[in-house]
Amino acid sequence: GENVEQHPSTLSVQEGDSAVIKCTYSDSASNYFPWYKQELGKGPQLIIDIRSNVGEKKDQRIAVTLNKTAKHFSLHITETQPEDSAVYFCAATPGSARQLTFGSGTQLTVLP
Amino acid sequence: DTGVSQDPRHKITKRGQNVTFRCDPISEHNRLYWYRQTLGQGPEFLTYFQNEAQLEKSRLLSDRFSAERPKGSFSTLEIQRTEQGDSAMYLCASSSLRDGYTFGSGTRLTVV
């Protein structure tokens, strides 16, 4: 089955700096890669996703890049704000309607 | 539609008791998923329904766990003879071919 590894497990940045979180996956059949933000006591919230037919996707301050050959995908957050502080999870699946395999999460802290 | 609803938000039970959780998905979503999340980890897949049919079950879903989606709408997850190791957040999600996953806020189970 799929295995997703996520790094780093914790990340602290100064407000206004950029944050990068990286994931690798094992199953070459995976073709859908969502990123979730989870705040304390809440369920994961989808923030951006990418499919394997594109290499990069951007939505305002958030971008995701995908390298299918290396089986890597990354989340980039620019101009970080304190409200970006949360746990971020990457995930992979062979189909957007199939079960997701999650990484172990990154605790992002944005220092004011 | 206000998203995926889960009830209760919190449940404390004594070891050996049975518990049941409910999930109401987004009404037009025909796919419904249950995940379990322990502290510091990403969600782990438990089971998946398409309409009323349970199509996949994880090996994590022991014989003490049963899930139903009787009319293809809401779903229930029952845990019989609870054990301390069952303490976790139980997350429900729904999706359609058009939409990605939407997670509920989860039910936090504590077995004492």
Side-chain angles (χ1 to χ4, degrees):
Chain A
E2 177 63 277
N3 182 50
V4 176
E5 295 194 355
Q6 182 171 348
H7 300 280
S9 56
T10 60
L11 179 61
S12 292
V13 299
Q14 289 295 134
E15 182 176 359
D17 287 351
S18 295
V20 180
I21 302 170
K22 299 183 178 181
C23 289
T24 60
Y25 62 99
S26 61
D27 188 350
S28 57
S30 287
N31 60 11
Y32 176 66
F33 307 92
W35 285 88
Y36 289 87
K37 175 182 182 182
Q38 188 172 27
E39 297 175 323
L40 203 59
K42 297 185 179 180
Q45 178 187 11
L46 179 70
I47 55 171
I48 196 167
D49 57 13
I50 191 167
R51 298 181 189 275
S52 60
N53 56 348
V54 298
E56 185 172 359
K57 183 177 178 180
K58 190 173 181 180
D59 183 3
Q60 300 182 342
R61 297 186 297 109
I62 296 173
V64 56
T65 58
L66 171 65
N67 181 330
K68 280 195 308 181
T69 303
K71 296 182 188 163
H72 289 172
F73 58 114
S74 300
L75 177 71
H76 305 252
I77 305 174
T78 59
E79 301 171 24
T80 53
Q81 301 165 3
E83 52 265 38
D84 294 330
S85 296
V87 179
Y88 291 80
F89 291 98
C90 61
T93 180
S96 59
R98 300 283 304 278
Q99 59 167 293
L100 294 170
T101 300
F102 283 83
S104 54
T106 297
Q107 173 70 62
L108 174 65
T109 303
V110 180
L111 304 168
Chain B
D1 196 341
T2 56
V4 179
S5 299
Q6 292 190 246
D7 183 71
R9 291 295 310 276
H10 304 275
K11 178 72 177 179
I12 300 175
T13 190
K14 290 184 178 178
R15 190 175 52 181
Q17 297 293 305
N18 299 344
V19 294
T20 301
F21 310 141
R22 178 181 169 121
C23 172
D24 287 273
I26 293 174
S27 56
E28 58 266 30
H29 285 181
N30 60 348
R31 293 174 174 83
L32 185 148
Y33 311 80
W34 286 98
Y35 284 77
R36 182 172 70 186
Q37 185 177 26
T38 53
L39 204 61
Q41 299 297 317
E44 296 174 293
F45 171 76
L46 291 178
T47 190
Y48 150 56
F49 291 85
Q50 181 163 316
N51 300 313
E52 66 275 10
Q54 189 173 16
L55 297 186
E56 273 188 77
K57 289 198 288 187
S58 161
R59 282 174 286 181
L60 292 176
L61 211 68
S62 76
D63 292 345
R64 297 184 296 106
F65 287 69
S66 63
E68 294 183 343
R69 195 183 182 195
K71 296 182 181 178
S73 56
F74 74 92
S75 176
T76 58
L77 177 68
E78 181 184 16
I79 309 174
Q80 296 182 326
R81 305 181 304 281
T82 51
E83 302 173 355
Q84 285 190 320
D86 297 331
S87 295
M89 174 80 87
Y90 290 85
L91 292 163
C92 176
S94 68
S95 75
S96 66
L97 278 178
R98 185 193 67 184
D99 301 335
Y101 271 60
T102 300
F103 279 88
S105 293
T107 294
R108 179 163 295 284
L109 173 67
T110 302
V111 182
V112 298

